[in-house]
């Protein structure tokens, strides 16, 4: 790691940190814009994440500092908080507000954050900071929450304090992630299985388009709304609670109920993508990475054409990947509108892929992407346990 966090904490607060925690970011292998439609997703935790060092204080004050931002924040302990502007500290502040709302007795706390997840890259830096804070408060103040409670609490912070109507996938993945496993998560029932992410000769590449995700939040909420509209239209004749309660064949019989052509495209993506996750799970179980890769490309195309959340930058990564024989598949990951793509690349051809995609992307877009080879890591925990 770039920093000695304990030393930094000491410099900042003039005392030792008592506790240290880590929560990862995540990539989603397949199943995009599915979680808020009650379907199946396949995320995994990555080894990039958010570190948090803490020490309680007797001043009745919450102090937020981060090595990633110059902005610091200090706020007295009170019973109620609102989001304040767009500062990064709103994520932990929202978690604190939730604990207080639930009736927990908190004390002042000095906090130092550091994250190595590229911000606004679609790798869930926000879920990561929410979950690491929730985990830490639960530990320090004996909150008595289960891990699943912490997932739900963090999602509620994202929805109600931050104002993004996201589903549960990100908070779930960064909490329950397991080393070298992908999570097959049913976002309706929250049942999940950690399945071996046995990629054989392939490794997972993460390609950050380095395009800041401007307007992403309002566009995201717009998609959530469009899916609600599609569901309401289908409910005229179908007894369903979520779009993902039906498969593509059933959808064909009822799609005439959706009269708005844009909403129709959104629903088609969601329902077909959910079917693709089932096929992808079978392909992974059979070690059929060629098939898995094809499904990744199909997912990307659908997010580009039907859900319209891609963009020339993410498309450029998928386009290049299709021309490289050492790539089984590639797709955008996360909400879209910029951010990151992932690719399944033959391990011994990673450097060549990295060079090729950088050259293609830079020629087309005018600036370079960042390319990483990613490891699948553990979910949230005490720092020494989670990072190994
Ligand atoms: C963001 C949201 C998730 C999920 C993805 C798209 O990451 O936070 O809940 O909807 O977008 O799959």
């Amino acid at each position: 790691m770039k920093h000695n966090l304990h030393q930094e904490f000491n410099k900042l607060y003039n005392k030792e940190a008592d506790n240290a925690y880590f929560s990862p970011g995540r990539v989603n292998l397949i199943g995009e814009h599915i979680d808020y439609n009650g379907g199946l997703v396949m995320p995994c935790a990555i080894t990039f994440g958010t570190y948090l060092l803490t020490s309680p204080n007797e001043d009745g004050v919450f102090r937020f500092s981060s090595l990633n931002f110059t902005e610091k924040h200090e706020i007295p302990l009170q019973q109620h908080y609102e989001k304040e502007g767009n500062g990064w500290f709103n994520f932990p502040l929202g978690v604190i507000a939730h604990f207080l709302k639930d009736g927990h007795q908190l004390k002042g706390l000095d906090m130092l954050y550091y994250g190595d997840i590229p911000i606004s890259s679609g790798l869930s830096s926000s879920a990561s900071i929410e979950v690491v804070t929730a985990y830490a408060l639960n530990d320090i103040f004996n909150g008595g929450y289960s891990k699943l409670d912490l997932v739900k609490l963090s999602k509620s912070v994202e929805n109600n304090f931050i104002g993004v109507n996201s589903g549960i996938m990100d908070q779930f993945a960064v909490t329950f992630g397991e080393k070298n496993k992908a999570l097959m998560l049913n976002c309706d029932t929250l049942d999940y299985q950690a399945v071996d992410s046995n990629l054989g000769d392939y490794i997972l590449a993460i390609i950050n388009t380095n395009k800041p995700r401007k307007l992403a939040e309002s566009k995201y909420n717009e998609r959530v709304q469009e899916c609600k509209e599609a569901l309401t239209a289908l409910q005229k004749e179908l007894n369903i609670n979520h779009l993902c309660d039906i498969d593509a064949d059933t959808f064909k019989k009822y799609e005439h109920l959706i009269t708005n052509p844009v909403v129709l495209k959104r629903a088609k993506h969601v329902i077909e993508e959910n079917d693709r996750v089932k096929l992808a799970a079978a392909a992974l179980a059979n070690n059929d990475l060629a098939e898995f890769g094809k499904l990744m490309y199909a997912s990307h195309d659908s997010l580009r054409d039907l859900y319209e959340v891609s963009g020339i930058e993410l498309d450029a990564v998928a386009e290049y990947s299709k021309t490289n024989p050492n790539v089984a598949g590639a797709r955008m990951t996360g909400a879209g509108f910029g951010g990151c793509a992932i690719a399944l690349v033959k391990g011994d051809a990673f450097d060549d892929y990295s060079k090729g995609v950088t050259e293609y992307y830079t020629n087309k877009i005018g600036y370079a992407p960042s390319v990483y080879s990613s490891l699948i890591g553990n979910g949230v925990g005490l720092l020494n346990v989670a990072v190994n």
Side-chain angles (χ1 to χ4, degrees), residues 143-178:
Y145 292 114
S146 70
K147 270 185 160 186
L148 188 59
D149 295 333
L150 295 179
V151 170
K152 291 179 181 167
L153 185 155
S154 301
K155 174 182 181 284
S156 159
V157 169
E158 185 77 35
N159 296 163
N160 304 317
F161 197 85
I162 303 295
V164 179
N165 295 327
S166 59
I168 203 159
M169 171 173 76
D170 300 348
Q171 288 81 6
F172 198 98
V174 309
T175 303
F176 286 102
E178 287 179 35

Short mmCIF file of all heavy atoms in Angstrom, two decimals, residues 143-178:
data_model
loop_
_atom_site.label_atom_id
_atom_site.label_comp_id
_atom_site.label_asym_id
_atom_site.label_seq_id
_atom_site.Cartn_x
_atom_site.Cartn_y
_atom_site.Cartn_z
N GLY A 143 -23.31 -2.63 18.12
CA GLY A 143 -24.62 -2.37 17.50
C GLY A 143 -25.52 -3.60 17.45
O GLY A 143 -26.74 -3.49 17.40
N GLY A 144 -24.92 -4.78 17.44
CA GLY A 144 -25.71 -6.02 17.43
C GLY A 144 -26.34 -6.34 16.09
O GLY A 144 -27.22 -7.21 16.00
N TYR A 145 -25.91 -5.67 15.04
CA TYR A 145 -26.46 -5.98 13.72
C TYR A 145 -25.76 -7.21 13.13
O TYR A 145 -24.56 -7.41 13.32
CB TYR A 145 -26.19 -4.83 12.74
CG TYR A 145 -26.95 -3.56 13.02
CD1 TYR A 145 -26.26 -2.40 13.40
CD2 TYR A 145 -28.33 -3.49 12.87
CE1 TYR A 145 -26.94 -1.22 13.63
CE2 TYR A 145 -29.00 -2.31 13.11
CZ TYR A 145 -28.32 -1.19 13.49
OH TYR A 145 -28.98 -0.02 13.71
N SER A 146 -26.53 -8.00 12.36
CA SER A 146 -25.91 -9.08 11.59
C SER A 146 -25.29 -8.46 10.34
O SER A 146 -25.55 -7.30 10.00
CB SER A 146 -26.98 -10.09 11.17
OG SER A 146 -27.83 -9.49 10.20
N LYS A 147 -24.51 -9.27 9.61
CA LYS A 147 -23.91 -8.77 8.37
C LYS A 147 -24.99 -8.37 7.38
O LYS A 147 -24.87 -7.37 6.68
CB LYS A 147 -23.02 -9.84 7.76
CG LYS A 147 -21.59 -9.79 8.22
CD LYS A 147 -20.82 -10.83 7.43
CE LYS A 147 -19.34 -10.57 7.42
NZ LYS A 147 -18.66 -11.51 6.52
N LEU A 148 -26.06 -9.15 7.33
CA LEU A 148 -27.13 -8.82 6.39
C LEU A 148 -27.82 -7.51 6.79
O LEU A 148 -28.19 -6.70 5.94
CB LEU A 148 -28.15 -9.97 6.31
CG LEU A 148 -29.21 -9.80 5.22
CD1 LEU A 148 -28.58 -9.68 3.83
CD2 LEU A 148 -30.19 -10.99 5.22
N ASP A 149 -27.95 -7.28 8.09
CA ASP A 149 -28.50 -5.99 8.56
C ASP A 149 -27.62 -4.84 8.07
O ASP A 149 -28.13 -3.79 7.67
CB ASP A 149 -28.52 -5.90 10.09
CG ASP A 149 -29.48 -6.90 10.73
OD1 ASP A 149 -30.44 -7.29 10.07
OD2 ASP A 149 -29.23 -7.26 11.90
N LEU A 150 -26.30 -5.07 8.13
CA LEU A 150 -25.38 -3.99 7.71
C LEU A 150 -25.53 -3.70 6.22
O LEU A 150 -25.43 -2.55 5.78
CB LEU A 150 -23.94 -4.36 8.04
CG LEU A 150 -23.60 -4.51 9.52
CD1 LEU A 150 -22.14 -4.90 9.71
CD2 LEU A 150 -23.89 -3.21 10.29
N VAL A 151 -25.76 -4.77 5.44
CA VAL A 151 -25.99 -4.60 3.99
C VAL A 151 -27.23 -3.73 3.78
O VAL A 151 -27.21 -2.75 3.02
CB VAL A 151 -26.20 -5.97 3.31
CG1 VAL A 151 -26.68 -5.82 1.87
CG2 VAL A 151 -24.93 -6.80 3.36
N LYS A 152 -28.30 -4.07 4.47
CA LYS A 152 -29.57 -3.37 4.28
C LYS A 152 -29.47 -1.92 4.77
O LYS A 152 -29.99 -1.00 4.16
CB LYS A 152 -30.70 -4.10 5.01
CG LYS A 152 -31.02 -5.43 4.37
CD LYS A 152 -32.12 -6.14 5.14
CE LYS A 152 -32.45 -7.49 4.52
NZ LYS A 152 -33.29 -8.30 5.41
N LEU A 153 -28.79 -1.77 5.90
CA LEU A 153 -28.62 -0.42 6.46
C LEU A 153 -27.84 0.45 5.47
O LEU A 153 -28.21 1.60 5.19
CB LEU A 153 -27.88 -0.58 7.78
CG LEU A 153 -27.63 0.60 8.69
CD1 LEU A 153 -27.47 0.09 10.11
CD2 LEU A 153 -26.41 1.40 8.30
N SER A 154 -26.76 -0.10 4.89
CA SER A 154 -25.93 0.68 3.97
C SER A 154 -26.71 1.02 2.70
O SER A 154 -26.58 2.12 2.16
CB SER A 154 -24.66 -0.09 3.62
OG SER A 154 -23.94 -0.39 4.79
N LYS A 155 -27.51 0.09 2.24
CA LYS A 155 -28.33 0.37 1.05
C LYS A 155 -29.33 1.49 1.36
O LYS A 155 -29.56 2.38 0.54
CB LYS A 155 -29.08 -0.89 0.61
CG LYS A 155 -30.07 -0.64 -0.51
CD LYS A 155 -30.83 -1.88 -0.89
CE LYS A 155 -31.80 -1.65 -2.02
NZ LYS A 155 -33.02 -0.94 -1.64
N SER A 156 -29.89 1.44 2.55
CA SER A 156 -30.84 2.46 2.93
C SER A 156 -30.18 3.84 2.98
O SER A 156 -30.77 4.85 2.60
CB SER A 156 -31.47 2.07 4.26
OG SER A 156 -32.02 3.17 4.88
N VAL A 157 -28.92 3.89 3.43
CA VAL A 157 -28.18 5.16 3.42
C VAL A 157 -28.05 5.67 1.99
O VAL A 157 -28.28 6.84 1.69
CB VAL A 157 -26.78 4.97 4.08
CG1 VAL A 157 -25.91 6.18 3.86
CG2 VAL A 157 -26.94 4.68 5.56
N GLU A 158 -27.67 4.77 1.08
CA GLU A 158 -27.52 5.15 -0.34
C GLU A 158 -28.85 5.68 -0.90
O GLU A 158 -28.90 6.69 -1.57
CB GLU A 158 -27.07 3.90 -1.12
CG GLU A 158 -26.76 4.13 -2.57
CD GLU A 158 -25.41 4.80 -2.81
OE1 GLU A 158 -24.45 4.51 -2.07
OE2 GLU A 158 -25.33 5.63 -3.73
N ASN A 159 -29.93 4.99 -0.57
CA ASN A 159 -31.25 5.36 -1.13
C ASN A 159 -31.80 6.63 -0.47
O ASN A 159 -32.25 7.54 -1.15
CB ASN A 159 -32.28 4.24 -0.91
CG ASN A 159 -31.95 2.96 -1.64
OD1 ASN A 159 -32.47 1.90 -1.34
ND2 ASN A 159 -31.05 3.00 -2.61
N ASN A 160 -31.76 6.68 0.86
CA ASN A 160 -32.50 7.73 1.56
C ASN A 160 -31.66 8.91 2.00
O ASN A 160 -32.18 10.01 2.14
CB ASN A 160 -33.22 7.13 2.78
CG ASN A 160 -34.11 5.98 2.35
OD1 ASN A 160 -34.80 6.09 1.34
ND2 ASN A 160 -34.07 4.87 3.06
N PHE A 161 -30.38 8.70 2.22
CA PHE A 161 -29.53 9.82 2.67
C PHE A 161 -28.81 10.43 1.46
O PHE A 161 -28.83 11.63 1.25
CB PHE A 161 -28.53 9.32 3.71
CG PHE A 161 -27.89 10.42 4.52
CD1 PHE A 161 -28.51 10.93 5.65
CD2 PHE A 161 -26.66 10.95 4.14
CE1 PHE A 161 -27.91 11.94 6.39
CE2 PHE A 161 -26.06 11.97 4.89
CZ PHE A 161 -26.69 12.46 6.01
N ILE A 162 -28.23 9.56 0.63
CA ILE A 162 -27.48 10.04 -0.55
C ILE A 162 -28.45 10.36 -1.69
O ILE A 162 -28.24 11.30 -2.45
CB ILE A 162 -26.43 8.99 -0.99
CG1 ILE A 162 -25.48 8.66 0.17
CG2 ILE A 162 -25.67 9.44 -2.24
CD1 ILE A 162 -24.61 9.80 0.66
N GLY A 163 -29.51 9.56 -1.83
CA GLY A 163 -30.52 9.87 -2.84
C GLY A 163 -30.37 9.11 -4.15
O GLY A 163 -30.88 9.54 -5.18
N VAL A 164 -29.65 7.98 -4.14
CA VAL A 164 -29.58 7.15 -5.34
C VAL A 164 -30.40 5.89 -5.09
O VAL A 164 -30.19 5.21 -4.08
CB VAL A 164 -28.11 6.76 -5.67
CG1 VAL A 164 -28.05 5.89 -6.92
CG2 VAL A 164 -27.27 8.02 -5.87
N ASN A 165 -31.32 5.58 -6.00
CA ASN A 165 -32.25 4.46 -5.76
C ASN A 165 -31.65 3.11 -6.14
O ASN A 165 -32.30 2.31 -6.84
CB ASN A 165 -33.55 4.68 -6.55
CG ASN A 165 -34.28 5.90 -6.07
OD1 ASN A 165 -34.22 6.23 -4.88
ND2 ASN A 165 -34.94 6.60 -6.97
N SER A 166 -30.42 2.89 -5.74
CA SER A 166 -29.73 1.67 -6.17
C SER A 166 -30.33 0.43 -5.53
O SER A 166 -31.03 0.51 -4.52
CB SER A 166 -28.27 1.77 -5.76
OG SER A 166 -28.20 1.90 -4.37
N GLY A 167 -30.01 -0.71 -6.14
CA GLY A 167 -30.42 -2.00 -5.58
C GLY A 167 -29.42 -2.43 -4.51
O GLY A 167 -28.62 -1.63 -4.02
N ILE A 168 -29.44 -3.71 -4.20
CA ILE A 168 -28.68 -4.19 -3.04
C ILE A 168 -27.35 -4.86 -3.40
O ILE A 168 -26.55 -5.19 -2.54
CB ILE A 168 -29.57 -5.17 -2.22
CG1 ILE A 168 -29.09 -5.25 -0.77
CG2 ILE A 168 -29.65 -6.56 -2.88
CD1 ILE A 168 -30.14 -5.73 0.19
N MET A 169 -27.13 -5.04 -4.73
CA MET A 169 -25.97 -5.83 -5.15
C MET A 169 -24.64 -5.36 -4.57
O MET A 169 -23.85 -6.16 -4.06
CB MET A 169 -25.88 -5.82 -6.67
CG MET A 169 -24.60 -6.43 -7.20
SD MET A 169 -24.60 -6.58 -8.97
CE MET A 169 -24.30 -4.91 -9.49
N ASP A 170 -24.38 -4.07 -4.63
CA ASP A 170 -23.03 -3.58 -4.29
C ASP A 170 -22.74 -3.79 -2.81
O ASP A 170 -21.67 -4.30 -2.44
CB ASP A 170 -22.89 -2.10 -4.63
CG ASP A 170 -23.11 -1.83 -6.10
OD1 ASP A 170 -23.15 -2.79 -6.88
OD2 ASP A 170 -23.27 -0.65 -6.47
N GLN A 171 -23.68 -3.37 -1.97
CA GLN A 171 -23.47 -3.51 -0.53
C GLN A 171 -23.36 -4.99 -0.16
O GLN A 171 -22.59 -5.37 0.72
CB GLN A 171 -24.62 -2.86 0.25
CG GLN A 171 -24.61 -1.33 0.20
CD GLN A 171 -25.22 -0.76 -1.08
OE1 GLN A 171 -25.76 -1.51 -1.90
NE2 GLN A 171 -25.13 0.54 -1.26
N PHE A 172 -24.15 -5.83 -0.85
CA PHE A 172 -24.11 -7.26 -0.57
C PHE A 172 -22.74 -7.84 -0.94
O PHE A 172 -22.12 -8.58 -0.17
CB PHE A 172 -25.23 -7.98 -1.35
CG PHE A 172 -25.53 -9.33 -0.80
CD1 PHE A 172 -26.61 -9.51 0.07
CD2 PHE A 172 -24.74 -10.43 -1.10
CE1 PHE A 172 -26.88 -10.76 0.61
CE2 PHE A 172 -25.01 -11.68 -0.57
CZ PHE A 172 -26.09 -11.85 0.28
N ALA A 173 -22.29 -7.48 -2.13
CA ALA A 173 -21.03 -8.06 -2.63
C ALA A 173 -19.84 -7.64 -1.77
O ALA A 173 -18.98 -8.46 -1.46
CB ALA A 173 -20.79 -7.62 -4.08
N VAL A 174 -19.80 -6.38 -1.35
CA VAL A 174 -18.63 -5.95 -0.58
C VAL A 174 -18.68 -6.48 0.86
O VAL A 174 -17.67 -6.51 1.55
CB VAL A 174 -18.41 -4.41 -0.62
CG1 VAL A 174 -18.42 -3.90 -2.05
CG2 VAL A 174 -19.41 -3.65 0.22
N THR A 175 -19.85 -6.90 1.29
CA THR A 175 -19.96 -7.48 2.63
C THR A 175 -19.68 -8.99 2.61
O THR A 175 -18.93 -9.50 3.45
CB THR A 175 -21.37 -7.23 3.20
OG1 THR A 175 -21.61 -5.82 3.20
CG2 THR A 175 -21.51 -7.76 4.61
N PHE A 176 -20.30 -9.68 1.67
CA PHE A 176 -20.23 -11.15 1.69
C PHE A 176 -19.20 -11.74 0.73
O PHE A 176 -19.10 -12.96 0.62
CB PHE A 176 -21.61 -11.74 1.39
CG PHE A 176 -22.58 -11.60 2.54
CD1 PHE A 176 -23.56 -10.63 2.55
CD2 PHE A 176 -22.47 -12.45 3.63
CE1 PHE A 176 -24.44 -10.50 3.62
CE2 PHE A 176 -23.34 -12.33 4.71
CZ PHE A 176 -24.33 -11.36 4.71
N GLY A 177 -18.47 -10.90 0.00
CA GLY A 177 -17.50 -11.41 -0.98
C GLY A 177 -16.54 -12.42 -0.36
O GLY A 177 -16.25 -12.36 0.83
N GLU A 178 -16.09 -13.37 -1.17
CA GLU A 178 -15.11 -14.36 -0.69
C GLU A 178 -14.00 -14.49 -1.71
O GLU A 178 -14.26 -14.44 -2.91
CB GLU A 178 -15.78 -15.74 -0.51
CG GLU A 178 -16.69 -15.82 0.68
CD GLU A 178 -17.35 -17.20 0.80
OE1 GLU A 178 -16.72 -18.22 0.45
OE2 GLU A 178 -18.51 -17.22 1.22
#
